[in-house]
Amino acid sequence: MKRSHSQQITIGLGLALALLVANTVVSYRNTLKLISNQRLVTHTQQVLIELEATLA
């Protein structure tokens, strides 16, 4: 059964929108993870500075 051009366009736009939403979700999650990792790095650097001061 052939689909009409308007149905094909609707399906294509739907798929494009679904991919855009999926990309947005993945990007958001990755940004949150990046922020979390940066906080951990900052904390680690602060701990190392305190250890150096303690040992000095």
Side-chain angles (χ1 to χ4, degrees):
M1 180 163 65
K2 279 190 157 184
R3 297 182 196 267
S4 69
H5 289 293
S6 63
Q7 285 178 327
Q8 290 176 345
I9 291 171
T10 302
I11 290 170
L13 288 174
L15 287 174
L17 182 62
L19 288 173
L20 182 63
V21 169
N23 187 33
T24 301
V25 169
V26 170
S27 295
Y28 179 73
R29 289 181 51 163
N30 286 340
T31 301
L32 290 179
K33 185 65 175 172
L34 181 66
I35 291 168
S36 173
N37 287 343
Q38 183 58 42
R39 286 184 184 147
L40 291 173
V41 168
T42 301
H43 178 261
T44 300
Q45 290 171 342
Q46 289 172 344
V47 168
L48 289 174
I49 289 170
E50 288 293 322
L51 284 173
E52 267 188 44
T54 302
L55 293 174

